[in-house]
Amino acid sequence: MIKNIQLKIILIFTIITVILITGFTVYFLTNLQNIHTQASAIENAEQLVNSTKQVIDKGTIFTVFAIVAFCIIATVIAIFITKKVTNPINKLISSAKRIAAGEEVEIKQITKKEDKEVSELVGAFGLMTTELKDNLNEVSRQKNQIETILLHMTDGIIAFNMEGKIILVNPAATRLLRIMPEEDTFEKIFEKLNVEINMEKVIYLDNWTSSEERVSLGDKNINLFFAPLKEENERPAGVMVVIQDITEHVKLDNMRKEFVADVSHELKTPITSIMGYADTLLEGEYDKKTQDKFLGVIASEARRMAKLVTDLLALSRFDNNQVKQEKEEFDLGELVKKCQEKVQMQIKQKNHQVECFVTANVPPVYADKDGIERVVLNILTNSIKYTRR
């Protein structure tokens, strides 16, 4: 389009120049021919000089007239070009500046046939403006979505440029790391946390070194994950840090360890009783009644171990409150006496004296018999364990 306009302008000036040069040439050739003809007929040199002077004067007048005519024509063409080409282009430039400033601009289409090239330019600019607006709207929409996600994320996000300056931080990161306004660089933030890590390590050695750190801030446990930011051409652009509050995970892990310890304690008690009674039977000869008693304790403890294992396998039901207790009616005094018999070997090994008696007429109890037995055995075994000989 622009090339067509330029060609037309050059063509117009070329035609005008050719016409003027041709006119000059024809005029001077004609006058030279006249001078030659007159010179052949004139015998007096003075007359020849006068005739030549007349021709030069006429040529000067013609030249001045031609220059004036050329200037007028050039001015007219310049005005035409300014009106038809320069003004629309200036309007497009002004519209482009307003669009760059974020203003809404309507591009008016030119419909005149003689302004076809400029019309095409305006049309192309209008199409470009429309596509640019659509792209900007899409970018703005995605930006709003990302900002909304970052705003409501429970994990913290911080992005640093290559100079270590913060270019993005969400509220969760500010809250978790307790970032102050003056802490606006990579070094200031992580030196405060006593984290020994630098940006060069993360950017250039992320495939060979660990980029994960764990820190404690008061009563919170924070996990930091460092990852390099890269541009489209895979050039490094900075570092992004993901901050996770793993306090609950740590608590659950501690609870798991305590649970394992509790289970070990629960299983150790019946195993100790079984081993004690079994070793006693192997070491000496006992009458039938004593053997039956010891074997009864061994069988009872084995069944209790089986019950514990069953409870462990059904542990997931506790989380969903689906555990059903099997309640029954039983004599609490008799249950306690049986519990004492189960740990009798441990009592004997530490030379303890344990008395079990009921001070009143206790009515039958309706409850979870296995659960109550577990509680009584825990009390007894802990008492034996933590009491001196």
Side-chain angles (χ1 to χ4, degrees), residues 21 47 93 113 142 149 198 217 264 285 303 349 361:
I21 293 174
Q47 291 180 357
I93 294 173
K113 294 182 179 179
Q142 293 179 359
I149 293 172
N198 55 66
L217 285 175
S264 300
E285 294 182 359
R303 284 192 293 270
Q349 289 174 357
N361 185 19

Side-chain angles (χ1 to χ4, degrees), residues 61-321:
I61 294 171
F62 183 81
T63 301
V64 172
F65 175 78
I67 292 173
V68 173
F70 183 80
C71 291
I72 294 172
I73 293 171
T75 302
V76 172
I77 292 174
I79 293 172
F80 173 80
I81 292 172
T82 301
K83 182 179 179 181
K84 299 297 183 180
V85 178
T86 308
N87 286 343
I89 292 176
N90 287 335
K91 290 181 180 178
L92 289 179
I93 294 173
S94 177
S95 298
K97 291 180 179 179
R98 292 171 61 189
I99 291 173
E103 298 180 15
E104 291 289 336
V105 178
E106 181 181 358
I107 305 298
K108 295 183 179 180
Q109 196 76 350
I110 298 175
T111 57
K112 294 181 180 179
K113 294 182 179 179
E114 60 269 19
D115 298 326
K116 181 179 178 182
E117 289 81 6
V118 178
S119 177
E120 291 178 358
L121 176 61
V122 173
F125 187 82
L127 180 61
M128 181 194 69
T129 302
T130 302
E131 292 180 353
L132 180 62
K133 286 181 180 178
D134 293 340
N135 291 334
L136 289 175
N137 290 334
E138 179 64 19
V139 170
S140 178
R141 184 181 65 81
Q142 293 179 359
K143 178 176 176 290
N144 291 333
Q145 289 178 348
I146 293 173
E147 287 180 348
T148 302
I149 293 172
L150 292 176
L151 182 64
H152 295 91
M153 280 182 63
T154 56
D155 292 342
I157 298 289
I158 310 179
F160 301 90
N161 59 18
M162 292 296 292
E163 289 74 33
K165 295 284 186 178
I166 293 178
I167 57 177
L168 183 147
V169 59
N170 68 342
T174 304
R175 182 181 68 255
L176 290 173
L177 298 186
R178 302 171 186 175
I179 300 174
M180 305 301 291
E182 62 273 10
E183 297 171 348
D184 57 351
T185 63
F186 187 92
E187 290 77 11
K188 289 180 180 178
I189 293 175
F190 295 107
E191 281 181 2
K192 179 187 73 172
L193 301 176
N194 296 323
V195 177
E196 296 181 359
I197 193 166
N198 55 66
M199 289 186 59
E200 289 75 13
K201 173 185 174 183
V202 176
I203 294 172
Y204 301 107
L205 301 177
D206 62 303
N207 293 328
W208 293 278
T209 60
S210 174
S211 297
E212 193 168 354
E213 298 285 342
R214 182 175 292 188
V215 297
S216 296
L217 285 175
D219 59 344
K220 290 186 177 295
N221 294 280
I222 307 297
N223 191 69
L224 305 173
F225 180 78
F226 299 83
L229 284 174
K230 294 184 179 180
E231 298 176 349
E232 293 183 357
N233 55 2
E234 294 298 319
R235 292 183 59 186
V239 172
M240 177 170 286
V241 185
V242 180
I243 302 103
Q244 296 176 320
D245 185 357
I246 58 171
T247 304
E248 292 300 322
H249 294 79
V250 173
K251 288 181 179 179
L252 290 175
D253 187 59
N254 292 334
M255 290 173 63
R256 179 185 61 80
K257 292 177 181 178
E258 291 177 2
F259 172 75
V260 171
D262 291 342
V263 170
S264 300
H265 178 72
E266 289 284 346
L267 291 175
K268 185 178 179 181
T269 301
I271 290 174
T272 303
S273 297
I274 291 173
M275 291 175 59
Y277 280 99
D279 291 340
T280 302
L281 288 174
L282 291 174
E283 290 174 357
E285 294 182 359
Y286 295 91
D287 55 27
K288 177 67 174 170
K289 183 178 180 182
T290 303
Q291 291 179 3
D292 291 342
K293 181 180 179 181
F294 286 3
L295 289 175
V297 173
I298 293 173
S300 174
E301 290 296 276
R303 284 192 293 270
R304 190 160 75 90
M305 286 181 59
K307 176 65 176 176
L308 287 173
V309 173
T310 301
D311 290 343
L312 291 176
L313 294 176
L315 186 61
S316 60
R317 289 181 292 179
F318 279 95
D319 296 331
N320 299 323
N321 295 322

